Amino acid sequence: MSGLVKDNIFGSSGVVLEAAGGLSWQPVVTASTVTVEAAKGYFINTTSNACTITLPSSAEAGDQIILIDYARTWGTNAITIDSNGLNFQGSPDTYTVDYDTSGQSLNLVYSDSTKGWTPSSDIVNASEPTPPPTQKAAFAFGQIGSSSNTNVKNLMNSSGVIATDVTGVGTARRMISGATYGLDKGIFAFGYTSSNVSLKNLMNNSGVIAADVTGVGTARRGTGSTGYGVDTAIYAFGLAGADTNVSNLVNSSGVVASDTTGVGTSRSELIGVRYGTDTALFSFGTIASTKTNLVSNSGVVASDTTQVGTARTAPGAATYGGDKAAVAYGTTGDVTAVKNLISNVGVIGSDVTGVGTARNSIAGVGYGGDKGAFAYGTTGGTNYVSLKNLLSNSGVIASDVTGVGTARATLASAGYSTSA
């Protein structure tokens, strides 16, 4: 051997963190920010405040940094790792990396440009990078008359402001569904012209909708759609002559896969929405009782679960609070404004008296990282509206705001952009 000496540094649970000889230990850090360097060790004291730790902007294979929870307070005031342009555990710098368990000790080693910094030891509890939240959204397509469809688009910024009409791209259609995929892009697919279609239109991270692409899967309308996992999406159920329970996965490049034999009660005009960090569910729709189907982080649709709440058709759903969701509005024969909150483990809560104009065939979407919006819809028949109701990051629906853009129903919405 070459005589390289290693010093043994013991973590909070007695596990040895091996550091190459010459590792230089720095004074205890109590500031809210610190920029660290390779070949150094840092005691991070978050007794009084959280701390953002910026890693070096350049690194070589084998570079090492050790971080230790000095006062066992990371569980109260977490540390956030800013990888400063380099990858962290294979995820880009745009991801959020928090360590929030008291007593953690991190031994970070740089491998290469693909994986970047990797915790070879992160005592007590490992932390996975969290994707950046979607900031903006788009409402598009829909029905504007008894037999008239549109492909008009309205963008919504990260403050929840809906912009004026943009002439649409793609076949005008209604009963279409949208979802976010690839972290910062959107997809609109399926729907009805004078017959069911399996077209898709991708939306880039600037909110530009692309031309039609012939879809894959059973042509149908009134599907549920949602993101799941990190950067993937799923379409499921829908009306194709009769209600179906077929599903189609969408990969991180926006490619729609062929049909998967469905699980759960066939239905249409239902909601799909994310909950937790990487899971989703489908619920409500054209059935007499409330059935929910959970979606795993690998896109597997589970069998029916009976949930509480008023069974209804054509409600909207939106995420809020980073890991929860709300379903609201819809019709039980009469339009309603009732709301049900969805927990971060996928449990749908009981009815809450609604706020805003009762309506159905509405679109819901997340925006601003942790808030949501419900917009457009019909109060009955062809009485279309362009109202908007914002959803706070605590799940509270605000009163009506007169909308901007063409009043319509059975439209689609999708989030896009991780930049505010």
Side-chain angles (χ1 to χ4, degrees):
M1 295 181 64
S2 62
L4 178 67
V5 177
K6 290 189 175 182
D7 301 318
N8 290 336
I9 306 298
F10 287 87
S12 61
S13 57
V15 177
V16 176
L17 303 176
E18 291 188 329
L23 191 78
S24 173
W25 285 91
Q26 304 303 297
V28 175
V29 175
T30 58
S32 60
T33 62
V34 61
T35 299
V36 298
E37 299 176 11
K40 293 185 179 181
Y42 298 82
F43 296 99
I44 309 297
N45 182 357
T46 64
T47 300
S48 301
N49 47 259
C51 184
T52 297
I53 298 169
T54 302
L55 302 182
S57 59
S58 61
E60 297 179 353
D63 281 355
Q64 180 185 32
I65 298 169
I66 289 180
L67 307 172
I68 289 180
D69 183 358
Y70 175 80
R72 300 184 64 85
T73 53
W74 290 2
T76 302
N77 291 313
I79 65 165
T80 299
I81 304 293
D82 177 355
S83 56
N84 202 9
L86 303 179
N87 285 355
F88 191 96
Q89 289 183 271
S91 298
D93 184 35
T94 52
Y95 280 48
T96 300
V97 182
D98 292 327
Y99 284 89
D100 57 4
T101 300
S102 294
Q104 284 182 290
S105 301
L106 309 183
N107 183 6
L108 304 178
V109 179
Y110 188 81
S111 54
D112 54 30
S113 60
T114 300
K115 289 298 183 180
W117 292 97
T118 300
S120 62
S121 302
D122 49 357
I123 309 306
V124 179
N125 184 49
S127 177
E128 292 296 327
T130 302
T134 301
Q135 296 289 336
K136 303 173 186 175
F139 297 91
F141 302 93
Q143 183 175 5
I144 57 175
S146 59
S147 60
S148 299
N149 300 323
T150 183
N151 59 4
V152 72
K153 174 187 75 177
N154 301 86
L155 299 181
M156 183 171 69
N157 68 17
S158 59
S159 298
V161 177
I162 297 177
T164 55
D165 292 348
V166 174
T167 302
V169 172
T171 298
R173 57 202 193 270
R174 62 184 182 268
M175 298 185 76
I176 181 174
S177 300
T180 302
Y181 79 94
L183 292 181
D184 61 353
K185 294 172 282 292
I187 179 173
F188 300 98
F190 301 99
Y192 183 84
T193 54
S194 57
S195 61
N196 294 329
V197 298
S198 60
L199 300 174
K200 80 175 179 185
N201 301 84
L202 299 182
M203 179 173 65
N204 69 17
N205 59 11
S206 297
V208 177
I209 297 177
D212 294 343
V213 175
T214 303
V216 174
T218 298
R220 59 200 193 274
R221 64 185 186 267
T223 60
S225 57
T226 178
Y228 76 91
V230 175
D231 54 4
T232 45
I234 182 173
Y235 284 81
F237 304 93
L239 180 65
D243 282 343
T244 73
N245 60 3
V246 70
S247 66
N248 302 85
L249 299 181
V250 182
N251 71 15
S252 60
S253 299
V255 177
V256 180
S258 55
D259 292 347
T260 297
T261 303
V263 173
T265 300
S266 295
R267 57 201 190 273
S268 57
E269 298 184 72
L270 69 161
I271 62 102
V273 72
R274 277 184 176 269
Y275 72 88
T277 57
D278 58 1
T279 44
L281 60 79
F282 296 102
S283 194
F284 298 92
T286 53
I287 52 176
S289 61
T290 305
K291 301 292 186 183
T292 294
N293 302 87
L294 301 181
V295 181
S296 74
N297 60 10
S298 59
V300 177
V301 180
S303 55
D304 292 344
T305 300
T306 301
Q307 296 280 9
V308 301
T310 297
R312 55 200 190 271
T313 302
T319 56
Y320 76 92
D323 60 356
K324 295 174 283 293
V327 55
Y329 305 96
T331 181
T332 61
D334 293 319
V335 291
T336 180
V338 71
K339 174 186 77 175
N340 303 84
L341 298 182
I342 302 172
S343 76
N344 59 6
V345 293
V347 176
I348 299 178
S350 55
D351 292 348
V352 177
T353 302
V355 173
T357 298
R359 57 203 194 272
N360 68 294
S361 300
I362 188 171
V365 70
Y367 78 94
D370 62 354
K371 295 173 282 294
F374 298 96
Y376 303 94
T378 174
T379 59
T382 57
N383 184 25
Y384 303 122
V385 297
S386 60
L387 298 175
K388 173 186 76 176
N389 300 84
L390 297 182
L391 176 72
S392 75
N393 58 11
S394 60
V396 177
I397 296 178
S399 55
D400 294 345
V401 175
T402 302
V404 174
T406 299
R408 58 202 191 273
T410 65
L411 69 160
S413 56
Y416 75 95
S417 181
T418 55
S419 299

